[in-house]
Amino acid sequence: EEDAKKYLKQCAQERRESFAFRNAEGRRQRMEESERLSQKLLDEHRRLEHKWAGEEDAKKYLKQCAQERRESFAFRNAEGRRQRMEESERLSQKLLDEHRRLEHKWAGEEDAKKY
């Protein structure tokens, strides 16, 4: 009977120790899982920050390209206008020179007729 009590006491002690071990092991595993989850969330947050930074850089680059394209169009438009004006002035000068040449020619012909 004494052995039975001792055995039951030992079984109860082993059960308490088993509960304590499983409780500690469960706590440790939950802590590890919590740390893994925290790390996973931190990694995801950093990944998203990098992604957003990259997207922002791409937007800035596209905006810069659009601005450069507008400036290029404006320059080419102004340059085309300048060249057309120069060509128009050259043509006007050419026509004026031709007109004066013809006036001199006609004046010379008139003088020849009078002589």
Side-chain angles (χ1 to χ4, degrees), residues 17-38:
E17 289 173 359
S18 175
F19 288 148
F21 172 78
R22 286 183 290 165
N23 188 26
E25 183 65 15
R27 186 178 306 116
R28 185 190 63 78
Q29 289 177 1
R30 286 189 300 276
M31 287 296 290
E32 286 179 359
E33 182 61 27
S34 176
E35 288 174 11
R36 275 194 299 276
L37 178 60
S38 294

PDB file of all heavy atoms in Angstrom, residues 17-38:
ATOM      1  N   GLU A  17       5.382  17.675 -13.732  1.00  0.00           N
ATOM      2  CA  GLU A  17       6.597  18.036 -14.467  1.00  0.00           C
ATOM      3  C   GLU A  17       6.337  18.041 -15.975  1.00  0.00           C
ATOM      4  O   GLU A  17       6.823  18.903 -16.697  1.00  0.00           O
ATOM      5  CB  GLU A  17       7.738  17.081 -14.121  1.00  0.00           C
ATOM      6  CG  GLU A  17       8.277  17.275 -12.730  1.00  0.00           C
ATOM      7  CD  GLU A  17       9.284  16.215 -12.319  1.00  0.00           C
ATOM      8  OE1 GLU A  17       9.562  15.295 -13.141  1.00  0.00           O
ATOM      9  OE2 GLU A  17       9.782  16.292 -11.192  1.00  0.00           O
ATOM     10  N   SER A  18       5.560  17.058 -16.429  1.00  0.00           N
ATOM     11  CA  SER A  18       5.211  16.987 -17.846  1.00  0.00           C
ATOM     12  C   SER A  18       4.386  18.208 -18.246  1.00  0.00           C
ATOM     13  O   SER A  18       4.638  18.828 -19.282  1.00  0.00           O
ATOM     14  CB  SER A  18       4.432  15.702 -18.141  1.00  0.00           C
ATOM     15  OG  SER A  18       4.006  15.683 -19.488  1.00  0.00           O
ATOM     16  N   PHE A  19       3.385  18.564 -17.407  1.00  0.00           N
ATOM     17  CA  PHE A  19       2.587  19.761 -17.671  1.00  0.00           C
ATOM     18  C   PHE A  19       3.476  21.009 -17.701  1.00  0.00           C
ATOM     19  O   PHE A  19       3.346  21.862 -18.590  1.00  0.00           O
ATOM     20  CB  PHE A  19       1.485  19.944 -16.626  1.00  0.00           C
ATOM     21  CG  PHE A  19       0.347  18.965 -16.731  1.00  0.00           C
ATOM     22  CD1 PHE A  19      -0.323  18.547 -15.590  1.00  0.00           C
ATOM     23  CD2 PHE A  19      -0.074  18.460 -17.959  1.00  0.00           C
ATOM     24  CE1 PHE A  19      -1.374  17.653 -15.675  1.00  0.00           C
ATOM     25  CE2 PHE A  19      -1.124  17.570 -18.047  1.00  0.00           C
ATOM     26  CZ  PHE A  19      -1.777  17.160 -16.907  1.00  0.00           C
ATOM     27  N   ALA A  20       4.366  21.097 -16.726  1.00  0.00           N
ATOM     28  CA  ALA A  20       5.259  22.256 -16.649  1.00  0.00           C
ATOM     29  C   ALA A  20       6.158  22.315 -17.899  1.00  0.00           C
ATOM     30  O   ALA A  20       6.356  23.387 -18.483  1.00  0.00           O
ATOM     31  CB  ALA A  20       6.110  22.206 -15.386  1.00  0.00           C
ATOM     32  N   PHE A  21       6.686  21.151 -18.308  1.00  0.00           N
ATOM     33  CA  PHE A  21       7.546  21.115 -19.489  1.00  0.00           C
ATOM     34  C   PHE A  21       6.755  21.496 -20.736  1.00  0.00           C
ATOM     35  O   PHE A  21       7.203  22.322 -21.546  1.00  0.00           O
ATOM     36  CB  PHE A  21       8.161  19.721 -19.662  1.00  0.00           C
ATOM     37  CG  PHE A  21       8.900  19.582 -20.956  1.00  0.00           C
ATOM     38  CD1 PHE A  21      10.169  20.120 -21.105  1.00  0.00           C
ATOM     39  CD2 PHE A  21       8.323  18.911 -22.031  1.00  0.00           C
ATOM     40  CE1 PHE A  21      10.852  20.007 -22.304  1.00  0.00           C
ATOM     41  CE2 PHE A  21       8.999  18.794 -23.225  1.00  0.00           C
ATOM     42  CZ  PHE A  21      10.271  19.339 -23.372  1.00  0.00           C
ATOM     43  N   ARG A  22       5.565  20.891 -20.891  1.00  0.00           N
ATOM     44  CA  ARG A  22       4.753  21.193 -22.078  1.00  0.00           C
ATOM     45  C   ARG A  22       4.317  22.652 -22.080  1.00  0.00           C
ATOM     46  O   ARG A  22       4.280  23.300 -23.128  1.00  0.00           O
ATOM     47  CB  ARG A  22       3.534  20.266 -22.154  1.00  0.00           C
ATOM     48  CG  ARG A  22       3.937  18.856 -22.578  1.00  0.00           C
ATOM     49  CD  ARG A  22       2.755  17.965 -22.731  1.00  0.00           C
ATOM     50  NE  ARG A  22       2.203  17.685 -21.397  1.00  0.00           N
ATOM     51  CZ  ARG A  22       1.005  17.162 -21.191  1.00  0.00           C
ATOM     52  NH1 ARG A  22       0.221  16.855 -22.201  1.00  0.00           N
ATOM     53  NH2 ARG A  22       0.577  16.924 -19.965  1.00  0.00           N
ATOM     54  N   ASN A  23       4.022  23.186 -20.883  1.00  0.00           N
ATOM     55  CA  ASN A  23       3.641  24.592 -20.773  1.00  0.00           C
ATOM     56  C   ASN A  23       4.815  25.483 -21.201  1.00  0.00           C
ATOM     57  O   ASN A  23       4.663  26.414 -21.997  1.00  0.00           O
ATOM     58  CB  ASN A  23       3.216  24.910 -19.343  1.00  0.00           C
ATOM     59  CG  ASN A  23       2.622  26.290 -19.219  1.00  0.00           C
ATOM     60  OD1 ASN A  23       2.091  26.823 -20.172  1.00  0.00           O
ATOM     61  ND2 ASN A  23       2.727  26.877 -18.043  1.00  0.00           N
ATOM     62  N   ALA A  24       6.020  25.170 -20.688  1.00  0.00           N
ATOM     63  CA  ALA A  24       7.211  25.951 -21.040  1.00  0.00           C
ATOM     64  C   ALA A  24       7.522  25.797 -22.524  1.00  0.00           C
ATOM     65  O   ALA A  24       7.869  26.771 -23.210  1.00  0.00           O
ATOM     66  CB  ALA A  24       8.396  25.511 -20.190  1.00  0.00           C
ATOM     67  N   GLU A  25       7.420  24.568 -23.029  1.00  0.00           N
ATOM     68  CA  GLU A  25       7.696  24.320 -24.448  1.00  0.00           C
ATOM     69  C   GLU A  25       6.682  25.055 -25.324  1.00  0.00           C
ATOM     70  O   GLU A  25       7.043  25.654 -26.339  1.00  0.00           O
ATOM     71  CB  GLU A  25       7.669  22.814 -24.729  1.00  0.00           C
ATOM     72  CG  GLU A  25       8.017  22.422 -26.141  1.00  0.00           C
ATOM     73  CD  GLU A  25       9.448  22.757 -26.527  1.00  0.00           C
ATOM     74  OE1 GLU A  25      10.304  23.043 -25.655  1.00  0.00           O
ATOM     75  OE2 GLU A  25       9.719  22.757 -27.742  1.00  0.00           O
ATOM     76  N   GLY A  26       5.416  25.027 -24.939  1.00  0.00           N
ATOM     77  CA  GLY A  26       4.382  25.750 -25.687  1.00  0.00           C
ATOM     78  C   GLY A  26       4.665  27.250 -25.684  1.00  0.00           C
ATOM     79  O   GLY A  26       4.531  27.921 -26.718  1.00  0.00           O
ATOM     80  N   ARG A  27       5.055  27.772 -24.517  1.00  0.00           N
ATOM     81  CA  ARG A  27       5.377  29.199 -24.403  1.00  0.00           C
ATOM     82  C   ARG A  27       6.558  29.542 -25.321  1.00  0.00           C
ATOM     83  O   ARG A  27       6.536  30.534 -26.035  1.00  0.00           O
ATOM     84  CB  ARG A  27       5.699  29.551 -22.953  1.00  0.00           C
ATOM     85  CG  ARG A  27       5.890  31.036 -22.721  1.00  0.00           C
ATOM     86  CD  ARG A  27       6.166  31.392 -21.262  1.00  0.00           C
ATOM     87  NE  ARG A  27       5.162  30.869 -20.354  1.00  0.00           N
ATOM     88  CZ  ARG A  27       5.396  29.956 -19.406  1.00  0.00           C
ATOM     89  NH1 ARG A  27       6.599  29.445 -19.239  1.00  0.00           N
ATOM     90  NH2 ARG A  27       4.414  29.545 -18.629  1.00  0.00           N
ATOM     91  N   ARG A  28       7.602  28.686 -25.296  1.00  0.00           N
ATOM     92  CA  ARG A  28       8.772  28.911 -26.135  1.00  0.00           C
ATOM     93  C   ARG A  28       8.397  28.899 -27.624  1.00  0.00           C
ATOM     94  O   ARG A  28       8.802  29.766 -28.392  1.00  0.00           O
ATOM     95  CB  ARG A  28       9.833  27.839 -25.858  1.00  0.00           C
ATOM     96  CG  ARG A  28      11.150  28.058 -26.620  1.00  0.00           C
ATOM     97  CD  ARG A  28      12.080  26.865 -26.524  1.00  0.00           C
ATOM     98  NE  ARG A  28      11.533  25.651 -27.136  1.00  0.00           N
ATOM     99  CZ  ARG A  28      11.516  25.412 -28.451  1.00  0.00           C
ATOM    100  NH1 ARG A  28      11.982  26.306 -29.295  1.00  0.00           N
ATOM    101  NH2 ARG A  28      11.021  24.288 -28.919  1.00  0.00           N
ATOM    102  N   GLN A  29       7.572  27.920 -28.008  1.00  0.00           N
ATOM    103  CA  GLN A  29       7.166  27.823 -29.411  1.00  0.00           C
ATOM    104  C   GLN A  29       6.316  29.032 -29.834  1.00  0.00           C
ATOM    105  O   GLN A  29       6.472  29.552 -30.937  1.00  0.00           O
ATOM    106  CB  GLN A  29       6.404  26.520 -29.659  1.00  0.00           C
ATOM    107  CG  GLN A  29       7.296  25.307 -29.604  1.00  0.00           C
ATOM    108  CD  GLN A  29       6.525  24.015 -29.774  1.00  0.00           C
ATOM    109  OE1 GLN A  29       5.295  24.006 -29.952  1.00  0.00           O
ATOM    110  NE2 GLN A  29       7.238  22.888 -29.697  1.00  0.00           N
ATOM    111  N   ARG A  30       5.420  29.474 -28.915  1.00  0.00           N
ATOM    112  CA  ARG A  30       4.611  30.655 -29.235  1.00  0.00           C
ATOM    113  C   ARG A  30       5.483  31.897 -29.383  1.00  0.00           C
ATOM    114  O   ARG A  30       5.261  32.724 -30.267  1.00  0.00           O
ATOM    115  CB  ARG A  30       3.527  30.866 -28.168  1.00  0.00           C
ATOM    116  CG  ARG A  30       2.372  29.886 -28.258  1.00  0.00           C
ATOM    117  CD  ARG A  30       1.231  30.251 -27.332  1.00  0.00           C
ATOM    118  NE  ARG A  30       1.612  30.298 -25.925  1.00  0.00           N
ATOM    119  CZ  ARG A  30       1.667  29.260 -25.104  1.00  0.00           C
ATOM    120  NH1 ARG A  30       1.371  28.045 -25.560  1.00  0.00           N
ATOM    121  NH2 ARG A  30       2.007  29.414 -23.834  1.00  0.00           N
ATOM    122  N   MET A  31       6.499  32.000 -28.523  1.00  0.00           N
ATOM    123  CA  MET A  31       7.419  33.136 -28.616  1.00  0.00           C
ATOM    124  C   MET A  31       8.192  33.085 -29.938  1.00  0.00           C
ATOM    125  O   MET A  31       8.349  34.110 -30.613  1.00  0.00           O
ATOM    126  CB  MET A  31       8.402  33.138 -27.435  1.00  0.00           C
ATOM    127  CG  MET A  31       7.784  33.535 -26.114  1.00  0.00           C
ATOM    128  SD  MET A  31       7.192  35.239 -26.111  1.00  0.00           S
ATOM    129  CE  MET A  31       8.736  36.105 -26.148  1.00  0.00           C
ATOM    130  N   GLU A  32       8.676  31.904 -30.297  1.00  0.00           N
ATOM    131  CA  GLU A  32       9.385  31.768 -31.569  1.00  0.00           C
ATOM    132  C   GLU A  32       8.477  32.122 -32.744  1.00  0.00           C
ATOM    133  O   GLU A  32       8.887  32.812 -33.677  1.00  0.00           O
ATOM    134  CB  GLU A  32       9.933  30.346 -31.741  1.00  0.00           C
ATOM    135  CG  GLU A  32      11.142  30.050 -30.889  1.00  0.00           C
ATOM    136  CD  GLU A  32      11.640  28.620 -31.074  1.00  0.00           C
ATOM    137  OE1 GLU A  32      11.026  27.850 -31.848  1.00  0.00           O
ATOM    138  OE2 GLU A  32      12.648  28.274 -30.431  1.00  0.00           O
ATOM    139  N   GLU A  33       7.245  31.634 -32.694  1.00  0.00           N
ATOM    140  CA  GLU A  33       6.284  31.932 -33.763  1.00  0.00           C
ATOM    141  C   GLU A  33       5.994  33.433 -33.814  1.00  0.00           C
ATOM    142  O   GLU A  33       5.918  34.027 -34.897  1.00  0.00           O
ATOM    143  CB  GLU A  33       4.982  31.143 -33.560  1.00  0.00           C
ATOM    144  CG  GLU A  33       3.960  31.368 -34.649  1.00  0.00           C
ATOM    145  CD  GLU A  33       4.436  30.952 -36.036  1.00  0.00           C
ATOM    146  OE1 GLU A  33       5.288  30.060 -36.154  1.00  0.00           O
ATOM    147  OE2 GLU A  33       3.941  31.532 -37.006  1.00  0.00           O
ATOM    148  N   SER A  34       5.871  34.050 -32.645  1.00  0.00           N
ATOM    149  CA  SER A  34       5.635  35.483 -32.582  1.00  0.00           C
ATOM    150  C   SER A  34       6.817  36.252 -33.174  1.00  0.00           C
ATOM    151  O   SER A  34       6.643  37.218 -33.933  1.00  0.00           O
ATOM    152  CB  SER A  34       5.397  35.913 -31.132  1.00  0.00           C
ATOM    153  OG  SER A  34       5.262  37.310 -31.044  1.00  0.00           O
ATOM    154  N   GLU A  35       8.043  35.819 -32.854  1.00  0.00           N
ATOM    155  CA  GLU A  35       9.234  36.470 -33.408  1.00  0.00           C
ATOM    156  C   GLU A  35       9.312  36.275 -34.920  1.00  0.00           C
ATOM    157  O   GLU A  35       9.655  37.202 -35.653  1.00  0.00           O
ATOM    158  CB  GLU A  35      10.487  35.920 -32.735  1.00  0.00           C
ATOM    159  CG  GLU A  35      10.659  36.395 -31.302  1.00  0.00           C
ATOM    160  CD  GLU A  35      11.829  35.725 -30.591  1.00  0.00           C
ATOM    161  OE1 GLU A  35      12.632  35.051 -31.272  1.00  0.00           O
ATOM    162  OE2 GLU A  35      11.925  35.881 -29.374  1.00  0.00           O
ATOM    163  N   ARG A  36       8.981  35.064 -35.405  1.00  0.00           N
ATOM    164  CA  ARG A  36       8.976  34.815 -36.851  1.00  0.00           C
ATOM    165  C   ARG A  36       7.954  35.718 -37.547  1.00  0.00           C
ATOM    166  O   ARG A  36       8.233  36.295 -38.599  1.00  0.00           O
ATOM    167  CB  ARG A  36       8.669  33.349 -37.141  1.00  0.00           C
ATOM    168  CG  ARG A  36       9.876  32.441 -37.095  1.00  0.00           C
ATOM    169  CD  ARG A  36       9.589  31.080 -37.721  1.00  0.00           C
ATOM    170  NE  ARG A  36       8.542  30.330 -37.058  1.00  0.00           N
ATOM    171  CZ  ARG A  36       8.717  29.556 -35.977  1.00  0.00           C
ATOM    172  NH1 ARG A  36       9.916  29.418 -35.456  1.00  0.00           N
ATOM    173  NH2 ARG A  36       7.715  28.908 -35.438  1.00  0.00           N
ATOM    174  N   LEU A  37       6.775  35.824 -36.937  1.00  0.00           N
ATOM    175  CA  LEU A  37       5.734  36.658 -37.521  1.00  0.00           C
ATOM    176  C   LEU A  37       6.165  38.126 -37.535  1.00  0.00           C
ATOM    177  O   LEU A  37       5.990  38.821 -38.541  1.00  0.00           O
ATOM    178  CB  LEU A  37       4.420  36.503 -36.748  1.00  0.00           C
ATOM    179  CG  LEU A  37       3.256  37.357 -37.237  1.00  0.00           C
ATOM    180  CD1 LEU A  37       2.920  37.033 -38.699  1.00  0.00           C
ATOM    181  CD2 LEU A  37       2.038  37.146 -36.354  1.00  0.00           C
ATOM    182  N   SER A  38       6.761  38.581 -36.431  1.00  0.00           N
ATOM    183  CA  SER A  38       7.238  39.967 -36.371  1.00  0.00           C
ATOM    184  C   SER A  38       8.292  40.210 -37.446  1.00  0.00           C
ATOM    185  O   SER A  38       8.269  41.237 -38.134  1.00  0.00           O
ATOM    186  CB  SER A  38       7.835  40.282 -34.997  1.00  0.00           C
ATOM    187  OG  SER A  38       6.851  40.247 -34.010  1.00  0.00           O
TER     188      SER A  38
END
